[in-house]
Amino acid sequence: MTSLFVTFEGPEGAGKSTQVGRLASRLKGVGAAHLVTREPGGTALGSRVREVLLDPALDIDPLPEFLLYSASRAQLVREVIRPALSRGEVVLCDRYADSSRAYQGSGRGLETSLLETVTREATGDLVPDLTVLLDLDPAVGLARAASRGQPDRLERADLTFHTHVREGFLALAAREPGRFLVLDATRAPDVLEEDIWAAVGERLTVQTG
Ligand code: TYD
């Protein structure tokens, strides 16, 4: 068995959850033990924190916002992700630390040194083996997200914020091309699924030697 930590990132409405589901089905098809989780959430604490973070009725400053995401992440890594990787499973996580870098860093303007210090503690330095970035024009993504129902607190932020978030994700990917797979989220879901499966297959093969 081979453990592999795969995260999915991107702006609102990019189709991450669809691709997480499709990759999970593929892994099931080849009998690979896997676990699907998401941020914020994935634990009892994370689910409560998620309600707070997405509540449109709350005004949350950038620093406490980041610390709440980090609290959810710290619990998820310890309670769910690390144990699954130790059991040799493939872990698929819908959003992870790169979302904080993009949303709270590039979007809200928090300093990189602060983000990195807290993130190192929260994750215990656990870095994904592969990060799939589904890139999308935020205007398109927000329209897609809006068609799904009432916008949450982050979806209500303006287009400039979401444009910074997208640029932040792309800058992160450019800095770590070995970890990131950047895909154009406007392509057909079947095509995206194939590309993601190929990248995961490569890494599983490398790890199994
Ligand atoms: P969610 O409904 O999971 O959005 P999506 O379906 O787009 O993933 O809500 C998560 C929201 O929280 C989303 O707007 C991105 C934001 N977020 C941050 O701002 N920072 C973070 O560290 C994480 C994990 C998410």
Side-chain angles (χ1 to χ4, degrees), residues 7-209:
T7 59
F8 286 74
E9 300 281 6
E12 318 296 320
K16 285 181 287 87
S17 353
T18 303
Q19 292 302 328
V20 169
R22 285 174 176 236
L23 178 54
S25 304
R26 290 284 192 124
L27 289 165
K28 193 172 172 205
V30 298
H34 62 280
L35 181 144
V36 174
T37 188
R38 70 166 176 184
E39 278 201 6
T43 64
L45 173 70
S47 302
R48 301 273 284 273
V49 171
R50 179 183 176 87
E51 282 170 27
V52 170
L53 279 165
L54 300 186
D55 186 345
L58 287 175
D59 240 344
I60 309 179
D61 251 34
L63 179 61
E65 178 177 88
F66 168 57
L67 294 174
L68 285 166
Y69 280 111
S70 299
S72 169
R73 180 166 306 133
Q75 185 73 25
L76 184 68
V77 167
R78 285 156 182 78
E79 190 179 318
V80 176
I81 300 179
R82 284 258 191 223
L85 293 173
S86 301
R87 294 192 300 268
E89 296 178 12
V90 179
V91 174
L92 311 184
C93 194
D94 191 338
R95 294 196 185 279
Y96 187 61
D98 295 309
S99 275
S100 283
R101 296 183 176 106
Y103 282 81
Q104 281 67 53
S106 306
R108 304 285 195 217
L110 289 184
E111 276 188 23
T112 305
S113 58
L114 165 76
L115 294 179
E116 294 309 327
T117 303
V118 174
T119 298
R120 258 199 310 277
E121 292 297 328
T123 61
D125 269 334
L126 179 67
V127 177
D129 299 299
L130 171 67
T131 297
V132 178
L133 172 57
L134 292 171
D135 177 52
L136 187 66
D137 178 339
V140 176
L142 286 173
R144 278 192 194 175
S147 70
R148 294 198 296 242
Q150 285 300 311
D152 63 38
R153 199 177 56 83
L154 276 291
E155 285 164 0
R156 281 168 197 245
D158 63 23
L159 194 56
T160 310
F161 169 80
H162 287 284
T163 302
H164 288 148
V165 170
R166 181 198 197 179
E167 287 163 358
F169 275 129
L170 290 172
L172 290 168
R175 273 208 295 280
E176 284 185 75
R179 170 160 76 88
F180 277 87
L181 172 69
V182 183
L183 297 173
D184 172 354
T186 61
R187 290 159 72 219
D190 286 353
V191 178
L192 295 171
E193 179 185 334
E194 284 307 325
D195 283 0
I196 294 168
W197 184 234
V200 168
E202 243 170 55
R203 279 161 179 83
L204 285 174
T205 313
V206 169
Q207 294 211 357
T208 46

